[in-house]
Amino acid sequence: MSVEKLEGGMVDTSNSIRNRYAKLLEGSWLAQFRYGSNPWMARYVYSVMFLLANLLAWAVRDYGPSALTEMKRLKSCQGGKDCLGTEGVLRVSMGCFIFYFTMFVSTAGTSKLHGRKELWHSGWWSAKLFLMFALIVLPFFLPTEMILIYGDIAHFGAGVFLLIQLISIISFITWLNDCCLSEKYAERCHIHSMLLATAAYIVCIFGIILMYIWYTPQPSCLLNIFFITWTLVLLQLMTSVSLHPKINAGFLTPGFMGLYVVFLCWSAIRSEPPDDKCLRKSETSRDWLTIISFVVAVLAIVIATFSTGIDSKCFQFKKEEKKEEEDDVPYGFGFFHLVFATGAMYFAMLLIGWNYHHPMKKWTIDVGWTSTWVRIVNEWLAVCVYLWMLVAPIVWKNGQVDIST
């Protein structure tokens, strides 16, 4: 009799959760926060936790020496200096990475709602907040050698994050273009897509002209001239390939990709050391523009990590036409936490300029020659991936024809 009551209670609980989730799907965006813990609300909570970890790493780097004097008592910190600055950022990053990687391991493979993994992902916030706090504190008791090993691994993890983000952005751009070119939306989107493409190209050309004016004040700035000119060449290359008769992808995707590569070029040049003769000297390290740029950069990290984390479908290499059911998870929980884990390594690299021995000034982020070349390589890689996504279907089709003949 007790077993029957227990089973009946479990069924009632499952039904109540289903009813609550049904209200979420039918309600507005704000409904995600009105009906208790759920996977839709959880992604925002994880993002806030990630943002707080970013801010903590920045505070340890910029204001650690004056605010964290108690760390002098820790033997692993050698008087406090090894737990602050660059190593302090790596220690916070390491704790954040371990937390999200633990969440990745414990939620990977979740496909249905109402299961144990989904309840762990969407709830137990007190336990997870305590776990994250403990894991962030733990690395401060580890020796410097282990932290530097993690720093080496973080270079690779940050590169993985950039690659995941790159594929996600390109997939979104191509998806948008496919929607505009489809028969269902062709007539409605034709004018809109042409306007968007024209605006994108105007912004690209305008941005390139401004970079020539701002960052090549003298003919000796050969490296900046090369970066900007090569970006213009890549924009022309993407447009030419996209308009090829065998591809015929239109102007929209190369226009949006042009915006992305121009932004990466601008970010790369802005990451050059401030003492470089090819950068303007009008901005001091503590003026309001630098502070605003820093805040925007931190928010951009969190937004990019969040948007990439919920976009697991672009990494499904076998696109199967499968009807979604009501109890399917809204996004891949494991992939979501994996992106945040690599994002923890990425924000550490930005805060230390991808270099342990490179001193960072207050309110600066992603500054140094290493950061510059990471951005430039990311730009070139983005163009290569985009061109391959255009050409690959034709290559595979020709290969299949050759095999059949």
Side-chain angles (χ1 to χ4, degrees):
M1 191 71 177
S2 60
V3 175
E4 293 178 356
K5 289 183 178 180
L6 181 61
E7 291 178 350
M10 293 177 63
V11 171
D12 292 339
T13 302
S14 180
N15 290 334
S16 64
I17 295 176
R18 284 190 174 90
N19 294 333
R20 180 158 56 88
Y21 284 179
K23 292 180 181 179
L24 291 173
L25 294 175
E26 294 174 359
S28 63
W29 177 80
L30 293 175
Q32 300 174 11
F33 306 93
R34 284 205 302 260
Y35 295 103
S37 297
N38 59 81
W40 295 271
M41 182 196 74
R43 56 188 181 182
Y44 295 102
V45 179
Y46 287 118
S47 299
V48 172
M49 294 167 65
F50 185 75
L51 173 61
L52 293 177
N54 277 256
L55 296 177
L56 177 61
W58 157 72
V60 168
R61 187 198 71 177
D62 284 4
Y63 297 99
S66 59
L68 303 177
T69 54
E70 290 297 320
M71 286 190 173
K72 294 181 180 180
R73 300 181 182 181
L74 299 178
K75 295 181 180 180
S76 61
C77 292
Q78 298 184 7
K81 65 181 181 68
D82 287 344
C83 287
L84 307 172
T86 298
E87 285 195 24
V89 172
L90 291 175
R91 291 175 192 272
V92 175
S93 170
M94 183 178 184
C96 187
F97 166 78
I98 295 175
F99 171 77
Y100 282 106
F101 189 78
T102 302
M103 293 301 303
F104 159 71
V105 173
S106 60
T107 59
T110 307
S111 59
K112 299 294 182 181
L113 298 172
H114 323 302
R116 293 180 179 179
K117 290 185 177 181
E118 186 271 322
L119 294 176
W120 165 243
H121 169 80
S122 305
W124 296 83
W125 292 113
S126 298
K128 282 187 284 194
L129 288 173
F130 175 78
L131 177 62
M132 187 173 189
F133 175 79
L135 290 175
I136 288 179
V137 172
L138 177 63
F140 285 92
F141 293 91
L142 299 178
T144 299
E145 292 75 16
M146 292 186 65
I147 302 302
L148 294 181
I149 291 174
Y150 168 76
D152 292 333
I153 299 174
H155 281 85
F156 172 77
V160 172
F161 174 82
L162 287 175
L163 181 61
I164 294 174
Q165 184 187 42
L166 170 63
I167 296 175
S168 177
I169 291 174
I170 295 177
S171 297
F172 170 75
I173 293 174
T174 53
W175 169 83
L176 181 63
N177 187 64
D178 291 341
C179 288
C180 293
L181 294 178
S182 63
E183 296 181 359
K184 184 177 180 181
Y185 301 103
E187 295 183 2
R188 188 191 312 174
C189 293
H190 179 70
I191 297 177
H192 295 84
S193 61
M194 289 302 298
L195 290 175
L196 287 174
T198 303
Y201 276 100
I202 291 175
V203 173
C204 289
I205 300 301
F206 185 67
I208 290 174
I209 293 173
L210 287 180
M211 284 193 290
Y212 273 121
I213 296 173
W214 288 345
Y215 303 125
T216 58
Q218 45 190 323
S220 59
C221 299
L222 296 178
L223 188 60
N224 286 355
I225 294 174
F226 167 71
F227 287 159
I228 300 170
T229 304
W230 188 244
T231 299
L232 182 61
V233 172
L234 293 177
L235 176 61
Q236 177 61 42
L237 177 62
M238 290 188 296
T239 304
S240 300
V241 174
S242 180
L243 295 179
H244 192 276
K246 291 185 177 181
I247 297 176
N248 196 23
F251 285 97
L252 187 60
T253 51
F256 279 9
M257 279 301 300
L259 290 175
Y260 184 54
V261 298
V262 169
F263 168 75
L264 289 177
C265 180
W266 174 79
S267 301
I269 296 176
R270 285 277 298 174
S271 296
E272 294 176 1
D275 56 347
D276 189 75
K277 61 184 179 180
C278 295
L279 295 180
R280 294 187 302 172
K281 302 294 192 296
S282 60
E283 298 173 8
T284 61
S285 60
R286 292 291 304 275
D287 64 8
W288 63 271
L289 184 59
T290 302
I291 296 175
I292 292 176
S293 299
F294 176 84
V295 173
V296 171
V298 172
L299 292 177
I301 297 171
V302 178
I303 294 172
T305 308
F306 172 84
S307 60
T308 305
I310 61 177
D311 187 25
S312 58
K313 292 183 179 180
C314 68
F315 293 88
Q316 295 176 355
F317 296 101
K318 293 183 179 180
K319 304 290 184 179
E320 299 179 356
E321 294 294 335
K322 183 180 178 182
K323 184 179 180 181
E324 294 186 0
E325 300 179 2
E326 291 184 358
D327 59 345
D328 287 344
V329 294
Y331 54 92
F333 297 160
F335 179 80
F336 177 84
H337 291 296
L338 179 63
V339 171
F340 272 79
T342 56
M345 295 180 169
Y346 178 64
F347 81 68
M349 293 298 102
L350 294 187
L351 287 173
I352 69 174
W354 298 80
N355 191 344
Y356 311 137
H357 311 291
H358 175 65
M360 298 286 287
K361 296 181 180 180
K362 288 185 177 181
W363 294 100
T364 57
I365 188 169
D366 201 22
V367 175
W369 284 114
T370 307
S371 299
T372 297
W373 281 106
V374 167
R375 295 287 185 182
I376 288 297
V377 172
N378 190 26
E379 175 193 347
W380 297 346
L381 181 62
V383 175
C384 291
V385 172
Y386 171 72
L387 293 178
W388 172 248
M389 292 180 71
L390 292 179
V391 176
I394 298 176
V395 175
W396 290 336
K397 185 177 179 180
N398 292 338
Q400 291 177 353
V401 171
D402 293 338
I403 293 174
S404 61
T405 54

